[in-house]
Each structure stands twice: as structure tokens, then as C-alpha cells.
Amino acid sequence: MNYYIIIPAHNEQAFLEDALQSIVKQTVPAKKVIVVNDHSTDDTAAIIRKYSDQYPHIRGIDILSSDQHMPGSKVVAAFNKGMSTLDENYDFIVKLDADIILPENYFENIISIFKSSGTIGVAGGFAYEKNPEGEWELNHPMNTDHVRGAFKSYSKECFKAIGQLNTAMGWDTVDELLAQYHQFDIFTEPSLKVKHQRPIGKAYNKRARFLQGKAMYTMRYGFIITFIASVKMASKQGKFQTVIDNLKGFFAAKKEQVPYLVTLQEGKFIRQLRWRKIRQKLF
């Protein structure tokens, strides 16, 4: 199976080379790797040139955006720009962050996963981060059936069904919800341990939590599901303020009548799916 990788990179000199090393060492190499240099002011561009000069399948492109590192819009806009430069001669497409390290057999296993069933639309491993003692430990805060946005692989059919990724907070939730709406499955493989070098949530501040609440509104969650999801997030982050900030974002979006990211029919499916999972956990 052919696969393409797109890596958005903004000031990633500390991590990018590790990520690219893990990519070129794959037992089944990518057909194309696009590194999108998004307005970097450090040595990110030099690292990209180093690898693109050495490896013909790696290419860098430059874009200019804001310096603000807000989760969601910036990284997806860079991904979409990279996607626009590619042809369609791939079996699956990969969105990869610049601060990850993949095991050498990662994509060999992803290929096996996609080959195992035509209904699998999104696949990935699990995130590991260094603890204070310097040991890599599991830190996958979302549901175990969720693929982290830092290392998502989409089958071609699934990616085309859900359309271009949304440049908004919550993009890596709405993509999986829409995948399931289009009858694709989400597959996570615990044995695929992905090292994530930047701690989860480092870029999440009050503004980001506010935007998360707006994202829940645009996904047509409704107030009750938004509240439950916010409480769950707050408990995992150890910050009750998350609930307040999320709800502020939700009601701000409602007041401003922010356009929804999903249709009425998709929204109905999403709410039914969320309620089903909530009941499964309660009972």
C-alpha cells in the first residue's frame, strides 16, 4: 500500500529531526513525505533541506501564517496546504506532528490494519510521554478508541468521505465522528507505542479551552453532552476551570450563531453516538 505523510512544522528544530529519522527508518517507507514549514523562525527550514536533499521522497514547502500556536486551526491549515500539493496515488494519508518518534514497524502495522478490513477508516497507535524520571509511559488521555491527532492515518476512501479536515479546535474529534457517520471504523493498536516529545496540553490555555467549547457547539453536541464532556476533560486535566471555560465558549458560539461544522443529520448521528457511549460507560 502506498501512503503519503504530511507534517506541519512551526519552530520544531528541537524535535523535527527525530521525527524524520523515525520516518526514514520505517520498514515500509512512505511514497511521499511533505513537511510544511509554517512561518518558522528557528532552524526548522535547515532541517527540512537536509532531509529533502538526502531523501528524494521528502519535500518541504513554506507557508506564512501567524506566530500564535493555537491548537486546531494553525496545524490543520498547514496540513491542508500540504495536502493540496499531492496527487491521489495513495492508499492512505497520514497527518503527523513534528514532535513524535515512531517505532520502525509502525507503518508496516498500519498497512496490516487497513488490509484486515475495508471498513477501517482511521488507524493509529498510542501516545507515550516522558515522566519526571525520564521514562516513557502511556499518556493517552482520550478514549482508547480515539486516535490522537498527532499521528492519524486515514484510508483514502474515508478521507474523501469526511472531506478536508476542519481548521478548528476539535478537528480530531469531528473527523472520527464523521468517519463513523460514513460507516467507517476507528482502529487503535496498543502495541504501537508512539513517543510524543512535547507534553500533551502544553499549548492548551484559557483561550484554547474556550475554543474547545465553541467546537462542541459547532459539532452540535448540545448543552448536556457538552457539559458531560467538559467535566470528563476537567477531571483528566485536574482543572475544574476547564468546565467553565468550555461552557463560556459553547454559549459564546451559540450567541454569535457560529456556523456548524456538521449537518443536521450528522449532528443527530453524533449525539446518538455520544449518548450510546455514555450509557455503555455507566452501565
Side-chain angles (χ1 to χ4, degrees):
M1 297 180 79
N2 292 328
Y3 67 95
Y4 295 165
I5 300 174
I6 301 174
I7 306 174
H10 172 71
N11 290 341
E12 295 285 2
Q13 67 175 21
F15 307 117
L16 181 58
E17 187 150 16
D18 289 339
L20 291 173
Q21 273 294 308
S22 74
I23 288 170
V24 299
K25 290 180 178 178
Q26 289 298 303
T27 53
V28 180
K31 187 176 181 182
K32 294 182 180 180
V33 179
I34 304 296
V35 188
V36 184
N37 178 24
D38 184 5
H39 198 192
S40 296
T41 56
D42 62 0
D43 288 335
T44 294
I47 296 170
I48 296 171
R49 283 195 300 271
K50 173 184 175 181
Y51 279 82
S52 60
D53 288 345
Q54 187 175 356
Y55 300 95
H57 65 298
I58 297 178
R59 180 164 61 93
I61 62 173
D62 296 315
I63 64 172
L64 188 64
S65 68
S66 70
D67 290 318
Q68 189 176 19
H69 190 74
M70 186 60 67
S73 59
K74 185 177 176 68
V75 68
V76 175
F79 171 86
N80 288 339
K81 181 63 177 179
M83 191 70 202
S84 70
T85 69
L86 291 169
D87 56 42
E88 295 189 0
N89 297 322
Y90 64 89
D91 296 296
F92 63 94
I93 192 79
V94 183
K95 185 268 175 194
L96 211 60
D97 280 2
D99 61 344
I100 58 85
I101 301 174
L102 300 169
E104 292 184 9
N105 65 343
Y106 186 82
F107 288 114
E108 179 181 346
N109 279 275
I110 293 296
I111 288 171
S112 295
I113 290 167
F114 280 129
K115 283 186 173 181
S116 69
S117 172
T119 65
I120 296 174
V122 183
F126 280 69
Y128 283 71
E129 294 179 354
K130 280 188 177 180
N131 60 23
E133 290 72 40
E135 300 169 334
W136 292 97
E137 62 180 16
L138 179 66
N139 190 2
H140 198 85
M142 302 296 288
N143 295 330
T144 55
D145 58 354
H146 169 72
V147 179
R148 284 275 304 283
F151 42 87
K152 285 206 165 189
S153 296
Y154 305 87
S155 72
K156 184 176 184 178
E157 294 77 12
C158 177
F159 190 80
K160 285 184 169 294
I162 65 178
Q164 184 168 277
L165 300 182
N166 288 287
T167 54
M169 277 289 289
W171 69 268
D172 62 335
T173 297
V174 72
D175 63 343
E176 292 186 359
L177 294 171
L178 290 177
Q180 291 171 90
Y181 173 78
H182 290 287
Q183 299 184 325
F184 289 97
D185 297 324
I186 315 301
F187 191 100
T188 55
E189 176 50 60
S191 67
L192 292 179
K193 301 178 180 181
V194 180
K195 295 178 179 178
H196 186 235
Q197 299 204 75
R198 183 183 292 108
I200 294 172
K202 186 177 180 180
Y204 275 65
N205 51 27
K206 186 180 182 69
R207 176 64 176 166
R209 294 192 295 268
F210 178 84
L211 291 177
Q212 183 71 59
K214 294 186 79 169
M216 292 178 186
Y217 171 84
T218 61
M219 287 186 279
R220 297 185 186 268
Y221 273 20
F223 171 74
I224 297 176
I225 294 178
T226 297
F227 178 76
I228 294 172
S230 298
V231 170
K232 180 181 176 182
M233 289 173 62
S235 66
K236 290 190 174 182
Q237 296 172 5
K239 295 180 180 178
F240 181 75
Q241 186 65 35
T242 297
V243 178
I244 297 172
D245 293 337
N246 281 5
L247 293 181
K248 283 182 177 179
F250 176 87
F251 285 115
K254 185 175 182 179
K255 182 178 180 180
E256 297 164 13
Q257 295 186 319
V258 174
Y260 292 110
L261 295 177
V262 298
T263 66
L264 275 170
Q265 188 174 2
E266 290 167 344
K268 182 179 179 181
F269 171 85
I270 287 170
R271 289 191 300 276
Q272 290 175 339
L273 180 65
R274 285 299 193 208
W275 279 119
R276 185 163 67 248
K277 291 188 175 182
I278 289 170
R279 286 194 293 269
Q280 287 173 349
K281 290 181 179 179
L282 289 176
F283 306 105

Coordinates of all heavy atoms in Angstrom, one line a residue, residues 190-240:
P190 N -2.8 -0.9 20.6 CA -2.0 -0.6 21.8 C -0.5 -0.9 21.7 O 0.4 -0.3 22.3 CB -2.6 -1.4 22.9 CG -4.0 -1.6 22.4 CD -3.9 -1.7 20.9
S191 N -0.2 -1.9 20.9 CA 1.2 -2.3 20.7 C 2.1 -1.3 20.0 O 3.3 -1.4 20.0 CB 1.3 -3.7 20.0 OG 0.9 -3.6 18.7
L192 N 1.5 -0.4 19.3 CA 2.2 0.6 18.5 C 2.4 1.8 19.5 O 1.5 2.7 19.6 CB 1.4 1.0 17.3 CG 1.3 0.0 16.2 CD1 0.5 0.5 15.0 CD2 2.7 -0.5 15.8
K193 N 3.6 1.9 20.1 CA 3.9 2.9 21.1 C 4.6 4.1 20.4 O 5.7 4.0 20.0 CB 4.7 2.3 22.2 CG 4.0 1.2 22.9 CD 4.9 0.5 24.0 CE 4.2 -0.6 24.7 NZ 5.0 -1.2 25.7
V194 N 3.9 5.2 20.3 CA 4.4 6.4 19.7 C 4.9 7.3 20.8 O 4.2 7.7 21.7 CB 3.3 7.1 18.9 CG1 3.9 8.4 18.2 CG2 2.7 6.2 17.8
K195 N 6.2 7.7 20.6 CA 6.8 8.7 21.6 C 6.4 10.1 21.2 O 6.7 10.6 20.1 CB 8.3 8.5 21.6 CG 8.7 7.1 22.2 CD 10.3 7.0 22.1 CE 10.7 5.6 22.7 NZ 12.2 5.5 22.6
H196 N 5.8 10.8 22.2 CA 5.4 12.2 21.9 C 6.2 13.1 22.8 O 6.2 13.0 24.0 CB 3.9 12.3 22.3 CG 3.3 13.7 22.0 ND1 2.7 14.5 22.9 CD2 3.3 14.4 20.9 CE1 2.3 15.6 22.4 NE2 2.6 15.5 21.1
Q197 N 7.1 13.9 22.2 CA 8.1 14.6 22.9 C 7.6 15.9 23.6 O 8.2 16.3 24.6 CB 9.3 14.9 22.0 CG 9.9 13.7 21.4 CD 11.4 14.0 21.0 OE1 12.2 14.1 21.8 NE2 11.6 14.1 19.7
R198 N 6.6 16.5 23.1 CA 6.0 17.7 23.7 C 4.8 17.2 24.6 O 3.9 16.6 24.1 CB 5.6 18.7 22.7 CG 5.1 20.0 23.4 CD 4.6 21.0 22.3 NE 5.7 21.5 21.5 CZ 5.9 21.2 20.2 NH1 5.1 20.3 19.6 NH2 6.9 21.7 19.6
P199 N 4.8 17.6 25.9 CA 3.7 17.1 26.8 C 2.4 17.6 26.2 O 2.2 18.7 25.7 CB 4.0 17.9 28.1 CG 5.5 18.1 28.0 CD 5.9 18.3 26.6
I200 N 1.4 16.6 26.4 CA 0.0 16.9 25.9 C -0.5 18.1 26.7 O -0.4 18.2 27.9 CB -0.9 15.7 26.2 CG1 -0.4 14.5 25.3 CG2 -2.3 16.0 25.9 CD1 -1.1 13.2 25.6
G201 N -1.2 19.0 26.0 CA -1.9 20.1 26.6 C -1.0 21.3 26.9 O -1.4 22.2 27.5
K202 N 0.3 21.2 26.5 CA 1.2 22.3 26.8 C 0.7 23.6 26.2 O 0.8 24.7 26.7 CB 2.6 22.0 26.3 CG 3.6 23.1 26.7 CD 5.0 22.7 26.2 CE 6.0 23.7 26.6 NZ 7.4 23.4 26.2
A203 N 0.1 23.5 25.0 CA -0.4 24.7 24.3 C -1.8 25.1 24.7 O -2.4 26.0 24.2 CB -0.3 24.5 22.8
Y204 N -2.4 24.3 25.6 CA -3.8 24.5 26.0 C -3.9 25.5 27.1 O -3.4 25.3 28.2 CB -4.5 23.2 26.4 CG -5.0 22.4 25.3 CD1 -4.2 21.9 24.3 CD2 -6.4 22.2 25.1 CE1 -4.7 21.2 23.2 CE2 -6.9 21.5 24.0 CZ -6.0 21.0 23.1 OH -6.5 20.3 22.0
N205 N -4.4 26.7 26.8 CA -4.6 27.7 27.8 C -6.1 28.1 27.9 O -6.9 27.4 27.3 CB -3.8 28.9 27.4 CG -4.0 29.4 26.0 OD1 -5.1 29.1 25.4 ND2 -3.0 30.0 25.4
K206 N -6.4 29.2 28.6 CA -7.8 29.6 28.7 C -8.5 29.8 27.4 O -9.6 29.4 27.2 CB -7.8 30.9 29.5 CG -9.2 31.4 29.9 CD -9.1 32.6 30.7 CE -10.5 33.1 31.2 NZ -11.1 32.2 32.2
R207 N -7.7 30.4 26.5 CA -8.3 30.7 25.1 C -8.6 29.4 24.4 O -9.6 29.2 23.7 CB -7.3 31.5 24.3 CG -7.7 31.8 22.9 CD -9.0 32.6 22.8 NE -9.3 32.9 21.4 CZ -10.5 33.4 21.0 NH1 -11.5 33.6 21.9 NH2 -10.8 33.6 19.8
A208 N -7.7 28.4 24.5 CA -7.9 27.1 23.8 C -9.1 26.4 24.4 O -9.8 25.8 23.6 CB -6.6 26.3 24.0
R209 N -9.2 26.4 25.7 CA -10.4 25.8 26.3 C -11.7 26.4 25.9 O -12.7 25.8 25.7 CB -10.3 25.8 27.8 CG -9.1 24.9 28.3 CD -9.1 24.7 29.8 NE -9.0 26.0 30.6 CZ -7.8 26.4 31.0 NH1 -6.7 25.8 30.8 NH2 -7.8 27.6 31.7
F210 N -11.7 27.7 25.7 CA -12.8 28.5 25.3 C -13.2 28.0 23.8 O -14.3 27.8 23.5 CB -12.5 30.0 25.3 CG -13.6 30.9 24.7 CD1 -14.6 31.3 25.6 CD2 -13.6 31.3 23.4 CE1 -15.6 32.2 25.1 CE2 -14.6 32.2 22.9 CZ -15.6 32.6 23.8
L211 N -12.2 27.9 23.0 CA -12.4 27.4 21.6 C -12.9 26.0 21.6 O -13.6 25.6 20.7 CB -11.1 27.6 20.8 CG -10.7 29.0 20.5 CD1 -9.3 29.0 19.8 CD2 -11.7 29.8 19.7
Q212 N -12.4 25.2 22.6 CA -12.9 23.8 22.7 C -14.4 23.8 22.9 O -15.1 23.0 22.3 CB -12.2 23.1 23.8 CG -12.6 21.6 23.9 CD -12.0 20.7 22.8 OE1 -10.8 20.7 22.6 NE2 -12.9 20.1 22.1
G213 N -14.9 24.7 23.7 CA -16.3 24.8 24.0 C -17.1 25.2 22.7 O -18.2 24.7 22.4
K214 N -16.5 26.1 22.0 CA -17.1 26.6 20.7 C -17.2 25.4 19.7 O -18.1 25.2 19.0 CB -16.3 27.7 20.1 CG -16.4 29.0 20.9 CD -15.7 30.2 20.2 CE -16.6 30.8 19.2 NZ -16.1 32.1 18.6
A215 N -16.1 24.6 19.7 CA -16.1 23.4 18.9 C -17.2 22.4 19.2 O -17.8 21.9 18.3 CB -14.7 22.7 19.0
M216 N -17.5 22.2 20.5 CA -18.5 21.3 20.9 C -19.9 21.8 20.4 O -20.7 21.1 20.0 CB -18.5 21.2 22.4 CG -17.3 20.4 22.9 SD -17.3 20.3 24.7 CE -15.7 19.5 25.0
Y217 N -20.0 23.2 20.4 CA -21.3 23.7 19.8 C -21.3 23.5 18.3 O -22.4 23.0 17.8 CB -21.3 25.3 20.1 CG -22.4 26.0 19.4 CD1 -23.7 26.0 19.9 CD2 -22.2 26.6 18.1 CE1 -24.8 26.6 19.3 CE2 -23.3 27.2 17.4 CZ -24.5 27.2 18.0 OH -25.6 27.8 17.4
T218 N -20.2 23.7 17.6 CA -20.2 23.5 16.1 C -20.4 22.1 15.7 O -20.8 21.8 14.6 CB -19.0 24.1 15.5 OG1 -17.8 23.4 16.0 CG2 -18.8 25.6 15.8
M219 N -20.1 21.1 16.7 CA -20.3 19.7 16.4 C -21.7 19.3 16.7 O -22.1 18.1 16.7 CB -19.3 18.9 17.1 CG -17.9 19.0 16.4 SD -16.7 17.8 17.2 CE -16.2 18.7 18.7
R220 N -22.6 20.3 17.2 CA -24.0 20.0 17.5 C -24.1 19.1 18.7 O -25.1 18.3 18.8 CB -24.8 19.5 16.3 CG -24.8 20.5 15.1 CD -25.7 19.9 14.0 NE -25.7 20.7 12.8 CZ -26.6 21.7 12.6 NH1 -27.6 22.0 13.4 NH2 -26.6 22.4 11.4
Y221 N -23.2 19.2 19.7 CA -23.3 18.3 20.8 C -24.6 18.6 21.6 O -25.1 17.7 22.3 CB -22.1 18.5 21.7 CG -20.9 17.7 21.4 CD1 -20.7 17.1 20.2 CD2 -19.9 17.5 22.4 CE1 -19.6 16.4 19.9 CE2 -18.8 16.8 22.1 CZ -18.6 16.2 20.9 OH -17.5 15.5 20.6
G222 N -24.9 19.9 21.7 CA -26.0 20.3 22.6 C -25.4 20.5 24.0 O -24.2 20.1 24.3
F223 N -26.1 21.2 24.9 CA -25.6 21.6 26.2 C -25.2 20.4 27.1 O -24.2 20.4 27.7 CB -26.6 22.5 26.9 CG -26.2 22.8 28.4 CD1 -25.1 23.6 28.6 CD2 -26.8 22.1 29.4 CE1 -24.7 23.9 29.9 CE2 -26.4 22.4 30.7 CZ -25.3 23.2 31.0
I224 N -26.1 19.4 27.2 CA -25.9 18.4 28.2 C -24.6 17.6 27.8 O -23.8 17.3 28.7 CB -27.1 17.4 28.3 CG1 -28.4 18.2 28.8 CG2 -26.9 16.3 29.2 CD1 -29.6 17.4 28.8
I225 N -24.5 17.2 26.6 CA -23.3 16.4 26.2 C -22.0 17.3 26.3 O -21.0 16.8 26.8 CB -23.4 15.9 24.7 CG1 -24.6 14.9 24.7 CG2 -22.1 15.2 24.2 CD1 -24.8 14.3 23.3
T226 N -22.2 18.6 26.0 CA -21.0 19.5 26.2 C -20.6 19.5 27.6 O -19.4 19.5 28.0 CB -21.4 20.9 25.7 OG1 -21.6 20.8 24.3 CG2 -20.2 21.9 25.9
F227 N -21.6 19.6 28.5 CA -21.3 19.7 30.0 C -20.6 18.4 30.4 O -19.6 18.4 31.1 CB -22.6 19.9 30.8 CG -22.4 19.9 32.2 CD1 -21.8 21.0 32.9 CD2 -22.7 18.8 33.0 CE1 -21.6 21.1 34.2 CE2 -22.5 18.9 34.4 CZ -22.0 20.0 35.0
I228 N -21.2 17.2 30.0 CA -20.6 15.9 30.4 C -19.2 15.8 29.9 O -18.2 15.4 30.6 CB -21.5 14.8 29.9 CG1 -22.8 14.8 30.6 CG2 -20.8 13.4 30.2 CD1 -23.8 13.8 30.1
A229 N -18.9 16.2 28.6 CA -17.6 16.1 28.0 C -16.6 17.0 28.7 O -15.5 16.7 28.9 CB -17.7 16.4 26.5
S230 N -17.1 18.2 29.1 CA -16.3 19.2 29.8 C -15.8 18.7 31.2 O -14.7 18.9 31.6 CB -17.0 20.5 29.9 OG -17.3 21.0 28.6
V231 N -16.8 18.1 31.9 CA -16.5 17.5 33.2 C -15.4 16.4 33.1 O -14.5 16.3 33.9 CB -17.8 17.0 33.9 CG1 -17.4 16.2 35.2 CG2 -18.7 18.1 34.2
K232 N -15.6 15.6 32.1 CA -14.6 14.5 31.8 C -13.2 15.1 31.5 O -12.2 14.6 32.1 CB -15.1 13.6 30.7 CG -14.2 12.5 30.3 CD -14.7 11.7 29.2 CE -13.7 10.6 28.8 NZ -14.2 9.8 27.6
M233 N -13.2 16.1 30.7 CA -11.9 16.7 30.4 C -11.3 17.3 31.6 O -10.1 17.2 31.9 CB -12.1 17.8 29.3 CG -12.4 17.2 27.9 SD -12.8 18.5 26.8 CE -11.3 19.5 26.8
A234 N -12.1 18.0 32.4 CA -11.6 18.7 33.6 C -11.1 17.7 34.6 O -10.0 17.9 35.3 CB -12.8 19.5 34.3
S235 N -11.7 16.5 34.8 CA -11.3 15.5 35.7 C -9.9 14.9 35.3 O -9.0 14.6 36.1 CB -12.3 14.4 35.8 OG -12.4 13.7 34.6
K236 N -9.7 14.8 34.0 CA -8.4 14.2 33.5 C -7.3 15.3 33.5 O -6.2 14.9 33.7 CB -8.6 13.7 32.0 CG -9.5 12.5 32.0 CD -9.5 11.8 30.6 CE -10.2 10.5 30.6 NZ -10.2 9.8 29.3
Q237 N -7.7 16.5 33.4 CA -6.7 17.6 33.5 C -6.4 18.1 34.9 O -5.4 18.8 35.1 CB -7.1 18.8 32.6 CG -7.2 18.4 31.1 CD -7.8 19.5 30.3 OE1 -8.1 20.6 30.8 NE2 -8.0 19.3 29.0
G238 N -7.4 17.8 35.8 CA -7.3 18.2 37.1 C -7.5 19.7 37.3 O -7.0 20.4 38.2
K239 N -8.3 20.2 36.3 CA -8.7 21.7 36.3 C -10.2 21.9 36.2 O -10.7 21.7 35.1 CB -7.9 22.4 35.2 CG -6.4 22.4 35.3 CD -5.8 23.1 34.1 CE -4.3 23.1 34.2 NZ -3.7 23.8 33.0
F240 N -10.9 22.2 37.2 CA -12.3 22.5 37.1 C -12.6 23.7 36.2 O -13.6 23.8 35.6 CB -12.9 22.8 38.5 CG -14.4 23.0 38.5 CD1 -15.3 22.0 38.2 CD2 -14.9 24.3 38.6 CE1 -16.6 22.2 38.2 CE2 -16.3 24.5 38.5 CZ -17.1 23.5 38.3

